[in-house]
Amino acid sequence: MSVGLLALLDDVAFMVRSAAASLDDVAAQAARAGTKAAGVVIDDAAVTPRYVVGFAAERELPIVGKIALGSLRNKLLFLLPGALALSAFAPWAITPLLMLGGAYLCYEGAEKVYEALFPHASHGDEEAQPAGTGHNPALEERRVAGAIKTDFILSAEIMAITLAALPEGSVWMKAAVLGIVGVGITVGVYGAVALIVKADDAGLALARSRAGAPFGNLIRGIGRFVVRGMPVLLKVLAVVGTAAMVWVGGGILMHGLEGYGLSAPAHAAHAAAESLGALLPSARGAIEWLVTAAASGLLGLLVGGVLIPVVSGVSGLLRRRGASAGKHPA
């Protein structure tokens, strides 16, 4: 009996060591895959703060919280099982779906640029709310819905990059890594967004500090600097977020076309990046990255610019049909 008990304990110890090794492997793979998706993570963090602009301070964190929950739902309930199913049964469909998402990002970014250059009625509801005027439930719901819709595309790219970075393994291993990356990135992105949008309140508290010498003046000066700087930072982030849409969308399309044998755009971008990078070897990596990003952004703007009249025409046609159906009920 003692021999049997020792054998059982040895088996249990082996199982525990195997489980620990598997967990370590999952964590390591999640870290590597999450690092490869870092570019899209930055884009996601840059896009989100613009959705809280125009609301009272007490509504900022609830809005970020709603978007974060929507992002988790996107990743865990839809994209994770969808990615696993596609990789198992229809891997050929992953690239076309990613390219559709990229085209959507190009349209969104180009539409924002067009709106900035030629203001029109499509975003009038956003402009109708001056900064910090209070709580507009209808506008808030539209902003949150728009943010979650945009997050879905960015999250799909994050999950696709993560899946592509994983070695062959069991479906459970892939699911665990995708889940860890999805939760970790969501917490990191929206935690950073929450800090950004509430930094002005922290700055105001510092500016009103009653601390005495020797650090009181320094604390109040830092607070005033933060309060004055946050509106500028939010505007910069709004620009970066718009640029990120066309940059990421154009990059998705460029890589997708390359996968289908249409490699001229990617080769041209790569050649330009190498040529310009060779001019300054000490900053070669940064220059090559900037040139590649600029090429992706240019492609994104071109595709988005083409899609603006197409989407506008289709939307107008659908509205006219809806109005006609309303006037002539069956």
Side-chain angles (χ1 to χ4, degrees):
M1 180 178 292
S2 60
V3 174
L5 179 59
L6 289 174
L8 177 60
L9 291 175
D10 188 55
D11 289 342
V12 170
F14 176 76
M15 292 170 63
V16 170
R17 286 196 299 271
S18 299
S22 296
L23 289 175
D24 288 342
D25 192 27
V26 168
Q29 291 188 30
R32 286 194 296 270
T35 300
K36 290 191 175 183
V40 185
V41 172
I42 294 171
D43 301 336
D44 205 356
V47 167
T48 305
R50 67 187 177 88
Y51 290 101
V52 302
V53 174
F55 291 98
E58 62 269 17
R59 295 305 308 161
E60 292 174 345
L61 287 183
I63 291 172
V64 173
K66 288 180 181 180
I67 299 171
L69 288 176
S71 179
L72 273 178
R73 186 168 61 248
N74 285 340
K75 293 181 178 74
L76 300 183
L77 297 185
F78 303 114
L79 294 171
L80 190 155
L84 294 175
L86 284 174
S87 66
F89 301 111
W92 55 266
I94 295 177
T95 298
L97 290 174
L98 282 175
M99 291 180 72
L100 283 175
Y104 170 78
L105 285 177
C106 293
Y107 162 74
E108 281 283 296
E111 211 281 334
K112 294 293 183 185
V113 173
Y114 179 68
E115 162 66 17
L117 296 175
F118 308 101
H120 52 284
S122 63
H123 290 274
D125 58 342
E126 294 184 11
E127 301 302 327
Q129 172 120 332
T133 56
H135 181 33
N136 184 331
L139 178 58
E140 180 176 315
E141 290 304 314
R142 287 196 297 274
R143 291 273 187 94
V144 170
I148 293 174
K149 184 169 62 173
T150 300
D151 173 89
F152 186 91
I153 307 300
L154 293 171
S155 294
E157 178 69 0
I158 289 169
M159 301 299 266
I161 292 172
T162 301
L163 188 62
L166 296 180
E168 289 299 322
S170 69
V171 66
W172 300 113
M173 176 74 75
K174 291 180 179 179
V177 173
L178 287 170
I180 291 172
V181 170
V183 173
I185 283 177
T186 302
V187 171
V189 166
Y190 291 100
V193 169
L195 291 176
I196 289 171
V197 300
K198 298 308 292 181
D200 55 346
D201 291 342
L204 185 61
L206 291 175
R208 293 174 175 175
S209 172
R210 296 184 178 179
F215 299 112
N217 290 334
L218 176 62
I219 291 172
R220 287 185 287 273
I222 292 173
R224 288 191 293 269
F225 176 80
V226 171
V227 170
R228 292 169 183 167
M230 283 313 298
V232 177
L233 176 61
L234 288 174
K235 289 180 180 179
V236 170
L237 285 174
V239 173
V240 170
T242 299
M245 289 183 181
V246 294
W247 161 32
V248 174
I252 293 171
L253 293 178
M254 188 177 293
H255 292 304
L257 291 172
E258 190 175 17
Y260 286 114
L262 302 173
S263 56
H267 284 172
H270 181 67
E274 285 194 333
S275 298
L276 292 175
L279 298 177
L280 191 60
S282 61
R284 181 168 191 152
I287 292 174
E288 289 183 354
W289 182 87
L290 286 171
V291 173
T292 303
S296 298
L298 179 59
L299 178 62
L301 277 176
L302 291 173
V303 172
V306 170
L307 288 175
I308 288 174
V310 174
V311 173
S312 179
V314 172
S315 299
L317 180 61
L318 292 176
R319 283 195 298 268
R320 287 193 295 271
R321 286 188 176 181
S324 177
K327 292 179 181 179
H328 305 286

